[in-house]
Amino acid sequence: MPEGDTVWRTARLLHEALAGRRLTRCDLRVPTLATADLTGREVTEVVPRGKHLLTRVEGGLTLHSHLRMEGAWITYADGERWRGGPGHQIRAVLGNADRTAVGYRLPVLELLRTAAEDRIVGHLGPDLLGPDWDPAEAERRLLADPARPLGEALLDQRNLAGIGNVYKSELCFLAGVSPYAPVAALPEPARLMAAARRLLEANRDRVARTTTPSRRPDRRLWVYGRGGRPCLRCGTAVRKRAQGETADERVTYWCPRCQPGG
């Protein structure tokens, strides 16, 4: 599931493959960009902003993409077989003489002026993996609505950018608070901000996301994905329930014994 660490890693791979080189191929397979062609332009950089990817190209243009639940960018060497999915799932192809980046199942793809990037990312809170990370500002935004359920507040990218469903569940567990408890029940907000930053930094270079000390594949996460199975800390059955407006995509996991309230 793409979250801030996955997006950061994707941006790095895209930057290494494309930045500083001119595009020899550009194929944007969405109706609104059917006539757009970036061929011949140099890619200046690819940067992450929360869960957003910004591919900046010569001439003051930015190709903005968002992975959401199923999207992915994969880079290939010249002549390498593409393996990210069937052709009808490809939404973007950016290539140079040596590498090709292919975007699969991208739910968001748009071209805009680089100077207008604030239109799509200006509302975001401090980026957990960005150079502008400001834990005090993130804490202030999180606490601005003390009655809001903690899980929902952590997912709100206007508070802090980069947390998705996995980290929401894991951070609530580490804080010892139910994701359904109000933000006001959080005992040490500053400590939670530090934990969020630490976890995303630790996982940005890993393919297998890990939040526990265990090296066992089935024990890498404290509660996420463990519905009905024993809590790794106390043995109580982990609960699973939908949360938020788009509940089908926001399944929450928590231990009722380790995380009271809510």
Side-chain angles (χ1 to χ4, degrees), residues 49-61:
R49 182 71 175 88
K51 299 182 185 180
H52 299 257
L53 282 162
L54 305 172
T55 301
R56 296 168 179 157
V57 299
E58 185 180 33
L61 294 176

Side-chain angles (χ1 to χ4, degrees), residues 23 115 138 155 170 186:
L23 294 172
L155 278 180
E170 296 296 285
L186 187 62

Side-chain angles (χ1 to χ4, degrees), residues 6 38 50 70 98 129 197 200 206:
T6 305
L38 301 176
E70 302 294 337
D98 302 310
L129 290 178
R197 169 81 166 185
L200 266 74
R206 298 173 181 163

